[in-house]
Amino acid sequence: MPDLDLMKTLTQKTDSKIIMLVMDGIGGLPREPGGPTELEAASTPNLDRLASEAMVGLVDPVGVGITPGSGPGHLGLFGYDPLQYLIGRGVLESVGIGLELTSDDVAARGNFCTVDAGGIITDRRAGRIPTEECARMVGLIDDIILPGVELIVKPVRDYRFALVLRAPGLSAELNETDPQKVGAEPLSVGPLDGSPEAGRTADLVNQWLDQVRERIKDESPANMVTLRGWSKEPGLPGFEEVYKLKAAALAVYPMYKGLATLVGMTLIPGLNDLQDQLAALKKEWDSFDFFFFHYKYTDSRGEDGDFDAKVKEIETVDKIIPTIVDQKPDVLIVTGDHSTPAILKSHSWHPVPVLLWAPATGRANPDVTGFNESQCLKGALGQFRGTDLMALATAYAGKQAKYGA
Amino acid sequence: MPDLDLMKTLTQKTDSKIIMLVMDGIGGLPREPGGPTELEAASTPNLDRLASEAMVGLVDPVGVGITPGSGPGHLGLFGYDPLQYLIGRGVLESVGIGLELTSDDVAARGNFCTVDAGGIITDRRAGRIPTEECARMVGLIDDIILPGVELIVKPVRDYRFALVLRAPGLSAELNETDPQKVGAEPLSVGPLDGSPEAGRTADLVNQWLDQVRERIKDESPANMVTLRGWSKEPGLPGFEEVYKLKAAALAVYPMYKGLATLVGMTLIPGLNDLQDQLAALKKEWDSFDFFFFHYKYTDSRGEDGDFDAKVKEIETVDKIIPTIVDQKPDVLIVTGDHSTPAILKSHSWHPVPVLLWAPATGRANPDVTGFNESQCLKGALGQFRGTDLMALATAYAGKQAKYGA
């Protein structure tokens, strides 16, 4: 399998344009034995026509039999081996709300929780307080000062917030403070290794937690916090360095914006729905070579276990395909970061349908008439690992030099 | 590709049950151009129905174009990369006859041979003496005593026996003593590396060989031995540690029992035929999570070059499928450790048909109507390496956590 160093040496700057449309959690399963999957049940004339003109296949975003989280799933599609590049939850949450992390930063995902008078957790999510209440609570603790370290505290969504400590010589080798159950106190932070860096960072975090406790102890329902997913910015080589692609991220949800920034994509701000994304695609067309276009709700309805609603979301995306095609991309990819079969109500390990449409250099699948799991089984692309997708995309976009003489 | 360390972190204990039915050497080839393979010629209504309800594909137990021995073939199916985990022939022979090896042991495969008055080998297999004669010969040399080392000598089959030296600080870095031709003397043993451990072990083995020579020099036809396949117990991480599976081995032949014990499976003793194996499957159902069910004779008849007899063996196994399905496994896998086409009379490199039936979370191959090489080509599982099979099995059994957030 090609790796990033190989890609760096082979890819070259061209005028060609690539669009990667990620329908989150798109892969599915039949609701009843012998029945159609979500994609098979959906009416998708536009995707079906593309499939008949394109090459289709199945992609394993992480590996055969592995159920990808959103982070590893996207990294795989972007060509970064998720088994090699690990991204902590703290970093994901932070970049997801637009924080630009530096190599000095240590990030955690924070949860507001409820504790009783004795400090025992009675609700790990403080009744799932709404985002506005989360923002108010963050306002009570975002001006805490510690010596020698810059602190950033930002609300994320519902009961979740991001905490970043910025100073040279910090370590993310820290234990989480969430005891993972009610009826116990939040843990204090300690170093996971014996390093002085982790010891010093743990001391700083514990001082911060003491001040947080003091400031919000009389609030309700949230009156304490837990911290999880300690991590540092992974320092991934950027899309431009690896693929010679100036890349734009057209995403609505923080998590996917965050993933895009980690690989050096430019976030197009202020996008709230598909129409915004389409308008941005048009507006930014001349400024970028690669467009990551993310749609969340196929996954959301799969996670809800709502087969019919997922079918509807698929049909919603199908309707915008002509507008995307109107841009005349050199390569258009349609796939997902993992499967989310409604009958499983969760991400799954099933390989994900993928479509690669490259009008200039592609070839049609003679037997393929639609875009779904059973059609993709017959596809010219076969079944392959996620990390191979960008190699294919750049090849079909004419961006790759010959390997060797 | 997922490795064992990743599997260890992702798999979790559940109540689900997995059966892996290995039809040894199941893959085949047409007897005449355009004709059916053994699987295609066989009447297998039960396997065909499973295939239509299951997912099928083709597995390369070791790698594309590699002809697996039984050891590497099975290790691959069990998820242990056979290119990474090497098991010496001495260890295989020893565990195959039920010896429980320790990390102190060095094992060799021994051959009885015939030498002339000058010590020159005239028959490397002593006329392929029968197993009973082998046992008698072993009785002449199994009480040799060497200082500081426990010696175990056991007959295996025909002219073959197993030798184990048990003591701390021994090494298996020794040359073989079989000159691989007649007309030469057996070699003496020396260290392959410069280590004192190998030197000491070589001295011990040479002392043992001197005593053997003295004891059997007047016997006939076997009057000397050669030693091959020096090896140590490989210390594989166990099935329970890697997959959280308590595994039982339902095998008749020593070699496969031995392989199963190397990955920590529990041997169910006293099994002599399919009916014993089926009874044990039923009896032990509640005590284990994973059942390795091995059938030897498909391979044996392939090795014989007897196409029709191999077809009959396939049909014999097909008849027991309903009884296996009656146990209601969450995942049932049917495959082989390699192909043994009757026309080749040997193991071969051809990928092996595989069937993965998971009623709860699988999906049918829409175009698949049977279990054989040409149907499996169209299968939803595609073609994959043996080491991915257990990742799929545990995923479909609901035993795997999501990878990453």
Side-chain angles (χ1 to χ4, degrees), chain B residues 191-264:
Chain B
L192 291 180
D193 56 18
S195 71
E197 291 78 9
R200 174 177 166 241
T201 312
D203 287 345
L204 285 166
V205 175
N206 287 326
Q207 291 174 43
W208 184 78
L209 285 169
D210 287 343
Q211 294 196 45
V212 167
R213 186 183 296 107
E214 192 54 32
R215 286 191 180 201
I216 67 174
K217 65 183 180 200
D218 298 325
E219 297 292 326
S220 172
N223 60 0
M224 190 48 198
V225 301
T226 58
L227 298 172
R228 303 168 65 182
W230 293 106
S231 41
K232 300 200 76 166
E233 203 275 334
L236 301 176
F239 239 54
E240 190 145 13
E241 180 187 358
V242 176
Y243 302 116
K244 319 301 176 309
L245 292 170
K246 208 169 160 231
L250 310 177
V252 172
Y253 270 61
M255 166 77 88
Y256 312 97
K257 294 181 189 174
L259 286 163
T261 59
L262 288 178
V263 298

Side-chain angles (χ1 to χ4, degrees), chain A residues 73-145:
Chain A
H74 276 85
L75 277 195
L77 297 183
F78 297 156
Y80 298 71
D81 187 348
L83 300 177
Q84 180 183 350
Y85 297 103
L86 305 174
I87 299 180
R89 191 81 197 195
V91 166
L92 269 186
E93 292 279 25
S94 301
V95 297
I97 54 170
L99 294 178
E100 293 191 15
L101 297 185
T102 75
S103 57
D104 276 348
D105 296 351
V106 166
R109 166 181 165 168
N111 284 4
F112 283 106
C113 63
T114 310
V115 295
D116 66 17
I120 304 294
I121 295 178
T122 57
D123 187 330
R124 289 174 55 235
R125 301 184 183 87
R128 292 184 183 269
I129 54 170
T131 305
E132 309 81 63
E133 174 67 1
C134 179
R136 186 186 73 82
M137 293 298 301
V138 164
L140 301 176
I141 60 174
D142 64 359
D143 58 347
I144 293 173
I145 293 171

Side-chain angles (χ1 to χ4, degrees), chain A residues 199-353:
Chain A
R200 175 177 164 242
T201 313
D203 286 346
L204 286 165
V205 175
N206 286 325
Q207 289 173 43
W208 185 78
L209 285 169
D210 287 342
Q211 294 196 46
V212 167
R213 185 183 295 107
E214 192 56 32
R215 286 191 180 200
I216 66 175
K217 64 182 180 199
D218 297 325
E219 297 292 324
S220 173
N223 58 1
M224 190 47 198
V225 302
T226 58
L227 299 172
R228 303 168 64 181
W230 293 106
S231 41
K232 300 200 77 164
E233 205 275 335
L236 300 177
F239 239 54
E240 190 145 14
E241 180 188 0
V242 176
Y243 302 116
K244 318 302 177 305
L245 292 170
K246 207 167 162 234
L250 310 176
V252 173
Y253 270 61
M255 164 78 87
Y256 312 97
K257 294 183 190 172
L259 286 164
T261 59
L262 288 178
V263 297
M265 294 187 193
T266 300
L267 288 185
I268 308 300
L271 309 182
N272 292 308
D273 57 30
L274 278 179
Q275 292 315 312
D276 289 350
Q277 289 169 286
L278 286 174
L281 178 67
K282 197 164 183 177
K283 178 156 177 277
E284 304 292 344
W285 189 247
D286 292 336
S287 306
F288 295 93
D289 312 305
F290 181 94
F291 297 85
F292 162 51
F293 193 122
H294 182 265
Y295 190 70
K296 173 68 180 167
Y297 302 105
T298 32
D299 176 61
S300 309
R301 298 297 82 77
E303 294 257 16
D304 294 343
D306 192 335
F307 188 100
D308 294 323
K310 186 175 169 191
V311 168
K312 284 216 177 67
E313 294 297 343
I314 292 168
E315 293 175 343
T316 296
V317 176
D318 187 73
K319 291 192 180 67
I320 67 159
I321 294 294
T323 312
I324 291 176
V325 169
D326 277 350
Q327 290 299 137
K328 301 196 194 313
D330 298 276
V331 172
L332 168 59
I333 289 164
V334 183
T335 189
D337 56 334
H338 52 78
S339 293
T340 306
I343 63 158
L344 296 183
K345 297 188 182 183
S346 67
H347 294 200
S348 82
W349 59 93
H350 299 83
V352 186

